[in-house]
Amino acid sequence: MGLSEDLTNYVGIPLCILGAIAIGLLARHVSSIPEREKKQRAIGITYPWDKWQILVVTVTLYNIFVFYAVVARAMESTVETVLDLIETLLLLLTIGLWVYLSVTDPCIAKTEKSIGNEYWCRFCQAYYDGEKRKHCRHCKKCVIGFDHHCFFLNTCIADHNYKQFMTVLCTYTGILLMQVVTTAIAIHRHIQDKTGSEPFGDVGSHFFLWTSLILSFPSFCGAAALLGLHLFFIATGTNTFKWLKQELSLIHI
């Protein structure tokens, strides 16, 4: 075994396992913080983070590493190279939109002017000039045009950022699909021993590829289901909040 293969087997893989345990403990810790102890959240990256936000970011970063360090090395044909390029472009677009949604405040139209009791929030102690206002108990502030609170982004989605949300959901679903397909191709090539020399060795490469596939496939199924649900909302002219209210009203009938 070469030096890089030894480092992967005896250092890299154990560090990955320890990192996964640490991420799990962090997700458990933030989930245990009582809502009453949380302050108003300014933007999506404001601490405390959501456990789903932590898990999605971790899986995405891990998949990026596996894709460029292992999967891309196994891609040989022109079609496979095109798949690599598509995933890279989707990744860049997703990162840009994720940053935008995470650093922008969904709370808009807040005013100090007295504009009527129907626009007053007793929790925020402020007026909000807009329709479909809802006080988010997770962000602890009102959002105009409220659709839902996204746990994966740790911020509220409303009328003014819904297009960006749908775009990032589409691109992220595409990334996960590309990850599943290209990783499966890379695993096949490794089994057939058609990849040539690999810096991580046979054990390390299989470890990274199979763990990425195990993480990516259920993530893709979840993202695709969520995308389908929001496409249904768009087609029927409703949104998440309205749909949930309708479903709850039917349950209580």
Side-chain angles (χ1 to χ4, degrees):
M1 289 191 295
L3 178 60
S4 60
E5 187 175 351
D6 288 336
L7 288 174
T8 301
N9 293 342
Y10 299 113
V11 180
I13 294 177
L15 282 178
C16 285
I17 296 172
L18 290 174
I21 294 173
I23 292 297
L25 292 174
L26 176 60
R28 181 180 179 182
H29 168 69
V30 297
S31 298
S32 65
I33 301 175
E35 285 293 332
R36 64 179 180 275
E37 294 182 8
K38 297 179 182 179
K39 298 180 180 179
Q40 186 182 86
R41 179 175 293 110
I43 53 178
I45 57 175
T46 303
Y47 185 84
W49 309 301
D50 190 274
K51 65 178 179 180
W52 293 109
Q53 178 189 26
I54 295 171
L55 294 176
V56 166
V57 170
T58 301
V59 169
T60 302
L61 291 176
Y62 183 74
N63 279 341
I64 291 173
F65 163 73
V66 173
F67 179 76
Y68 288 106
V70 186
V71 174
R73 294 173 180 270
M75 300 293 104
E76 298 175 352
S77 69
T78 304
V79 174
E80 292 166 351
T81 303
V82 171
L83 290 177
D84 290 351
L85 180 60
I86 291 173
E87 183 163 351
T88 299
L89 293 174
L90 288 174
L91 179 62
L92 291 173
L93 182 57
T94 300
I95 291 174
L97 288 169
W98 180 85
V99 170
Y100 170 81
L101 289 168
S102 298
V103 300
T104 54
D105 189 352
C107 179
I108 61 173
K110 184 177 180 180
T111 178
E112 302 297 330
K113 297 179 180 180
S114 178
I115 55 177
N117 292 334
E118 66 271 25
Y119 298 105
W120 170 257
C121 176
R122 61 188 180 89
F123 299 106
C124 297
Q125 292 292 299
Y127 292 94
Y128 290 86
D129 188 7
E131 302 297 327
K132 295 191 297 181
R133 175 183 61 82
K134 184 183 182 300
H135 185 88
C136 177
R137 65 184 182 89
H138 301 288
C139 292
K140 299 188 182 301
K141 59 188 178 185
C142 283
V143 176
I144 301 299
F146 182 83
D147 184 87
H148 70 283
H149 178 86
C150 180
F151 296 106
F152 303 109
L153 294 167
N154 201 26
T155 191
C156 286
I157 303 302
D159 289 346
H160 62 280
N161 62 359
Y162 189 76
K163 290 181 180 179
Q164 291 84 352
F165 166 76
M166 280 299 295
T167 305
V168 78
L169 182 55
C170 289
T171 57
Y172 190 64
T173 303
I175 286 174
L176 291 170
L177 177 60
M178 290 293 102
Q179 187 76 16
V180 170
V181 172
T182 55
T183 302
I185 293 173
I187 290 174
H188 175 73
R189 290 193 176 279
H190 274 275
I191 292 174
Q192 297 296 321
D193 195 26
K194 296 179 180 179
T195 58
S197 59
E198 288 291 342
F200 302 112
D202 192 54
V203 174
S205 296
H206 276 282
F207 172 82
F208 292 133
L209 289 171
W210 280 104
T211 51
S212 178
L213 185 62
I214 291 170
L215 291 170
S216 299
F217 182 72
S219 299
F220 165 71
C221 293
L226 184 60
L227 176 60
L229 181 62
H230 279 277
L231 290 175
F232 166 76
F233 292 155
I234 294 172
T236 56
T238 186
N239 64 21
T240 308
F241 186 55
K242 287 181 180 179
W243 181 73
L244 288 174
K245 286 182 67 177
Q246 291 171 358
E247 291 298 312
L248 289 173
S249 64
L250 290 174
I251 291 174
H252 290 96
I253 291 178

